[in-house]
Amino acid sequence: MIIQRIFAVLYMLAGIAKLFPQFENVVAELQIAAVANQGTWYEGVSAWIGTHAQFFNLLSGAILFISGLVLLLNPPWTKWVIYGQLLMMVVFVTILHRSQPQVILLDAVFALAALYMLRNQFHRKTAFRPFPTQDFSTLQSSTTNQTDQLQNGDAYDVVIIGGGIAGLTAASEFDHERVLVVEKTASLGGNARHESYQGLKHPVGGVCFQEPLPDSEMMYILKKIGMDKSYRSNAEDMLVFFDTMLLMRCLGEVIVGFLKKPAFLLKPEVWGLTCQLFINAIIGKPYVSSSKQLGDPTFAELYRFLDRFAPGTRLYPQVPWSEESGWPREEMELLDNISLYTYLFEPEKITHFPQHLRPPVSLGKLVENAIRVALRVECSDLNDVSAYAGLYFLIGYLRGNLMALPGGNGGLGEGLCRYLDAKANVTMVTDTTLENINQLADEHAELQLMVGGQTIQINTRQVIWAAQKSAIVPHVPDLPQSQVEAIQTICYEDYYMASVLLSKPVLSHAFGGYMIEPEHASVNEPYYWCKPGTCLVANWMDPDSNAEVGVLSLLMPTTRPERKGRDAYGKFRSLQKQTHFEISKLLTNIGINPNVIQDIKIWHWSGGLVTAIKGHHSRGIFKTAAQPFKCIQFANQDSAGIGNIEGAIFSGLKTSKAVKQRLNAAIAPQSEASVSQHQTEDSLAGATL
């Protein structure tokens, strides 16, 4: 600001000097310039200005004084005044350089100062203002609460603890059994939930899923609940926001990528992006935005490698791994016992790997930063996540297309609830907590539930645990020690999500803005969002709402290297301020006034995601943690070892199938005993006769 104030004063003095010819005779200078510019392409303009020299003298004086005053006061729109100053300098140099060559050097100094001030303007923090929301948001109550239907001594075939996607999916598979779904929070859906802002649905938890194959578990569920035609693909609608200086530093990597794909050089968008990059680097604009497709040449080597493991191929890294997956155990263990960083960026450490598993050695820094950002959306760190689990994630979430429903994954939760509401055999209750599990036998348990301050005891033949596994340990003290240790080994990560409510739609043509920024965790900004997150657009997800407002969502996984033990919960105002700063920076970058921000809400998901770090799959951590115990079966997404909705659906379907088999197996001996008893009675009756 010191330089800006100095030049503000100089501009104001220059403006005043125009009134005093003894200091600067502008009229004479313009008339001399008109003669000197004869024979040039701008001769006519110069002559016209010379004819009206007195008017232009007063006009330029007024402009200089006012622009200097703006620099001094520094309002939010100062950058537009600086643009005007640069334009005025170009005009001055063009008109005067033949008659007064010294103007080139003088205006060059002012131009450099203007560019410096412009860079500062693009990095200035928008003044924070109080918003209506003052604390972490809580979820709206569900309309499916049926706690008044619970009675002491009620008997069920299956009780499902946890009303997230895994629990709801499991419940949807039972058509004849009496099922109870118990959820401790105000609404069902787990972290796949949404809310509405003036009719516009927006996610407050999970957002998207991988493009489902026709025979996949996801497609099966979507068809079952009638939503297989409701989702949209981001295939053509994904923006990438590159950090300008990172892209400049990696320019060689980008050029090599385009030279390998020369057809891209024929696209006008490529040259437009190139011009945008250099202009942004000069004026200090923080982001260069483009469609995802323009980055394809840079990522071509990575994409070609990932295509070896595409869904449907023998080498697709199924999660969780099984003997039937196509991967030999020894190859899975090779990948699972090293980090994804070592696998992709330290080729000298994997020379013993089979050739078909070796990645290309030419992956650059820009690719590395993109992978880091993609992983951190799922609370995974490139240097920590298992290469096997990380490879699975990159195939689906970086290489593959993403799908979204109105309201994000909350749309799927809502669809499952609608489906279950129509099933007379399923009861779903919210705001209900489990107090105790008493397993009387392998096929029978008594559960104590806290409902509205009262304890209710119910009986069940089977329990499906679809909540966080670590929460079951206090309720079942006789779990095998090996299973307890496996559960305690699972890495649960906190997750935050901010909803920025806007007075008008923004970026409504795009699924979201994917941020690729350099690796520099800021010590002074412990509540940083965008580097590990993505800016997602509710208007794109809910295009039929016709809403005149908008919602942008920021995701913030609290990965270990960034948080370093900090507890963000309870720091709502700090998170809200950081959210305001970062979304204002993004809006300013695309030419939108941050005053469109009406409110900022933040949700905190404690232990909301699970990461699969090195060795977890090869050591069987998730398999051991999910072993059935007496009449308890486990169904939740950490069974698959990675926090995504596909894992939740897979485990829900798998567990419901296992429970059905156990219920049927328990019925069969009873039926056989009944037949045997009838046969004995008939024999006795015959003997009596």
Side-chain angles (χ1 to χ4, degrees):
M1 279 300 294
I2 294 176
I3 292 177
Q4 184 167 315
R5 291 193 180 104
I6 291 172
F7 277 85
V9 173
L10 292 175
Y11 273 108
M12 294 171 71
L13 291 175
I16 295 172
K18 304 299 182 192
L19 299 175
F20 302 94
Q22 58 269 37
F23 292 115
E24 185 180 8
N25 194 339
V26 176
V27 174
E29 291 172 357
L30 291 175
Q31 291 171 345
I32 294 171
V35 175
N37 292 331
Q38 290 178 0
T40 63
W41 60 269
Y42 48 89
E43 173 185 359
V45 175
S46 181
W48 182 74
I49 292 175
T51 305
H52 303 84
Q54 186 60 46
F55 167 76
F56 280 100
N57 176 47
L58 295 175
L59 178 63
S60 62
I63 291 175
L64 287 171
F65 183 84
I66 293 171
S67 63
L69 186 61
V70 170
L71 290 179
L72 196 63
L73 298 175
N74 198 33
W77 40 271
T78 299
K79 62 178 177 293
W80 299 110
V81 171
I82 299 175
Y83 281 132
Q85 289 175 346
L86 287 168
L87 179 61
M88 187 169 63
M89 290 176 209
V90 171
V91 174
F92 280 171
V93 170
T94 302
I95 299 297
L96 298 175
H97 76 280
R98 292 170 67 92
S99 59
Q100 298 187 55
Q102 68 272 20
V103 75
I104 297 175
L105 179 60
L106 181 63
D107 277 10
V109 174
F110 275 83
L112 289 173
L115 291 173
Y116 175 80
M117 292 184 287
L118 196 57
R119 295 177 67 87
N120 288 339
Q121 290 298 317
F122 277 111
H123 290 84
R124 69 185 289 178
K125 285 194 174 185
T126 304
F128 180 75
R129 63 182 192 276
F131 292 106
T133 300
Q134 299 291 317
D135 204 348
F136 288 97
S137 296
T138 56
L139 294 161
Q140 297 171 352
S141 296
S142 170
T143 57
T144 58
N145 196 324
Q146 302 177 25
T147 51
D148 57 333
Q149 296 186 19
L150 294 182
Q151 301 294 328
N152 248 330
D154 278 353
Y156 294 88
D157 294 305
V158 183
V159 172
I160 300 173
I161 306 298
I165 293 297
L168 297 177
T169 298
S172 72
E173 287 292 283
F174 295 101
D175 296 321
H176 307 292
E177 298 82 357
R178 192 179 182 199
V179 178
L180 173 66
V181 180
V182 177
E183 170 58 38
K184 68 178 181 179
T185 65
S187 60
L188 298 160
N191 68 0
R193 306 188 195 182
H194 64 68
E195 289 200 344
S196 180
Y197 173 50
Q198 296 187 24
L200 176 64
K201 291 180 180 178
H202 62 94
V204 299
V207 175
C208 57
F209 52 91
Q210 300 175 29
E211 183 173 13
L213 293 174
D215 59 347
S216 65
E217 291 91 354
M218 174 65 78
M219 183 59 77
Y220 166 76
I221 289 296
L222 289 169
K223 285 182 176 179
K224 177 195 282 192
I225 63 178
M227 301 188 74
D228 54 311
K229 307 295 184 184
S230 303
Y231 59 82
R232 298 183 68 191
S233 168
N234 78 336
E236 303 296 331
D237 298 321
M238 186 68 171
L239 291 177
V240 180
F241 287 85
F242 293 96
D243 180 274
T244 299
M245 298 318 294
L246 172 65
L247 198 55
M248 286 294 293
R249 288 196 295 271
C250 299
L251 196 55
E253 183 181 337
V254 176
I255 291 172
V256 170
F258 277 111
L259 290 177
K260 290 181 179 180
K261 296 277 187 178
F264 273 79
L265 296 175
L266 301 177
K267 295 185 177 184
E269 300 96 324
V270 171
W271 298 104
L273 180 63
T274 305
C275 293
Q276 182 189 354
L277 170 62
F278 286 109
I279 291 172
N280 284 13
I282 292 170
I283 66 177
K285 214 171 182 181
Y287 296 121
V288 177
S289 60
S290 74
S291 67
K292 181 183 177 184
Q293 288 70 29
L294 288 185
D296 285 352
T298 306
F299 296 92
E301 289 286 341
L302 176 65
Y303 289 163
R304 202 162 25 243
F305 172 65
L306 294 178
D307 286 342
R308 296 186 204 170
F309 310 97
T313 66
R314 184 187 69 83
L315 286 177
Y316 178 61
Q318 291 185 14
V319 175
W321 176 87
S322 67
E323 298 287 351
E324 300 79 28
S325 68
W327 278 70
R329 170 176 282 277
E330 58 271 19
E331 291 188 359
M332 178 273 289
E333 291 178 347
L334 281 176
L335 266 69
D336 195 60
N337 286 308
I338 63 170
S339 71
L340 187 61
Y341 178 82
T342 294
Y343 183 53
L344 294 179
F345 301 102
E346 295 182 315
E348 70 279 3
K349 294 184 179 180
I350 60 169
T351 53
H352 59 291
F353 275 36
Q355 191 63 41
H356 65 278
L357 293 181
R358 292 188 197 176
V361 296
S362 56
L363 299 179
K365 195 66 179 177
L366 193 62
V367 174
E368 179 188 332
N369 277 272
I371 293 174
R372 284 189 185 277
V373 173
L375 286 169
R376 288 186 177 179
V377 173
E378 286 291 322
C379 285
S380 297
D381 185 85
L382 179 59
N383 296 89
D384 206 14
V385 69
S386 149
Y388 183 81
L391 187 61
Y392 163 81
F393 178 79
L394 293 181
I395 291 165
Y397 284 81
L398 186 64
R399 177 55 174 151
N401 296 323
L402 299 179
M403 308 291 147
L405 294 158
N409 290 350
L412 182 61
E414 183 181 54
L416 279 166
C417 286
R418 280 198 306 267
Y419 179 83
L420 293 172
D421 279 337
K423 293 173 71 73
N425 64 312
V426 177
T427 301
M428 298 182 290
V429 297
T430 56
D431 293 313
T432 301
T433 57
L434 175 69
E435 294 291 301
N436 186 46
I437 299 177
N438 182 19
Q439 296 190 85
L440 302 178
D442 286 355
E443 304 300 333
H444 183 209
E446 292 180 350
L447 276 64
Q448 289 182 350
L449 304 176
M450 181 63 68
V451 183
Q454 295 184 342
T455 300
I456 292 179
Q457 182 171 297
I458 61 173
N459 300 299
T460 184
R461 296 169 61 196
Q462 289 286 298
V463 175
I464 294 179
W465 189 270
Q468 197 175 90
K469 287 194 183 74
S470 58
I472 198 175
V473 176
H475 293 295
V476 187
D478 53 341
L479 272 176
Q481 185 60 31
S482 60
Q483 189 166 5
V484 173
E485 290 175 356
I487 290 172
Q488 292 173 342
T489 303
I490 295 172
C491 297
Y492 295 95
E493 298 286 354
D494 282 6
Y495 203 86
Y496 296 84
M497 187 163 187
S499 297
V500 183
L501 310 184
L502 309 172
S503 60
K504 67 176 184 179
V506 170
L507 297 173
S508 56
H509 64 288
F511 165 81
Y514 183 81
M515 308 289 176
I516 300 181
E517 297 186 293
E519 182 65 17
H520 56 71
S522 174
V523 176
N524 298 321
E525 295 181 289
Y527 306 111
Y528 201 71
W529 287 76
C530 284
K531 184 161 69 64
T534 306
C535 178
L536 302 162
V537 184
N539 302 82
W540 181 90
M541 297 181 204
D542 194 8
D544 299 325
S545 68
N546 297 317
E548 296 182 358
V549 296
V551 179
L552 298 179
S553 299
L554 289 179
L555 312 177
M556 189 178 75
T558 55
T559 52
R560 289 173 297 281
E562 290 177 340
R563 301 311 311 159
K564 294 181 180 177
R566 297 188 193 94
D567 179 16
Y569 190 72
K571 305 292 186 181
F572 173 80
R573 183 51 61 88
S574 299
L575 284 169
Q576 192 182 52
K577 285 183 177 180
Q578 188 66 25
T579 307
H580 179 254
F581 162 63
E582 293 186 24
I583 207 68
S584 296
K585 182 179 174 182
L586 174 66
L587 292 173
T588 302
N589 192 87
I590 59 178
I592 296 174
N593 192 322
N595 288 335
V596 300
I597 301 173
Q598 303 298 298
D599 196 7
I600 297 176
K601 294 185 174 184
I602 301 175
W603 281 263
H604 170 233
W605 299 95
S606 179
L609 284 180
V610 173
T611 60
I613 63 174
K614 292 175 289 186
H616 272 191
H617 284 288
S618 58
R619 288 160 53 198
I621 293 297
F622 300 108
K623 184 177 180 180
T624 302
Q627 287 297 315
F629 180 72
K630 295 184 179 179
C631 65
I632 299 175
Q633 298 273 347
F634 290 91
N636 49 353
Q637 63 181 3
D638 64 34
S639 301
I642 195 162
N644 59 52
I645 198 167
E646 292 88 356
I649 287 175
F650 172 83
S651 57
L653 292 174
K654 180 182 177 182
T655 305
S656 61
K657 182 179 179 181
V659 167
K660 281 184 179 182
Q661 290 173 347
R662 294 193 66 166
L663 290 174
N664 292 334
I667 292 173
Q670 295 178 13
S671 300
E672 292 172 4
S674 177
V675 170
S676 176
Q677 181 179 354
H678 285 308
Q679 290 174 343
T680 302
E681 290 173 350
D682 289 344
S683 298
L684 290 171
T688 303
L689 289 173

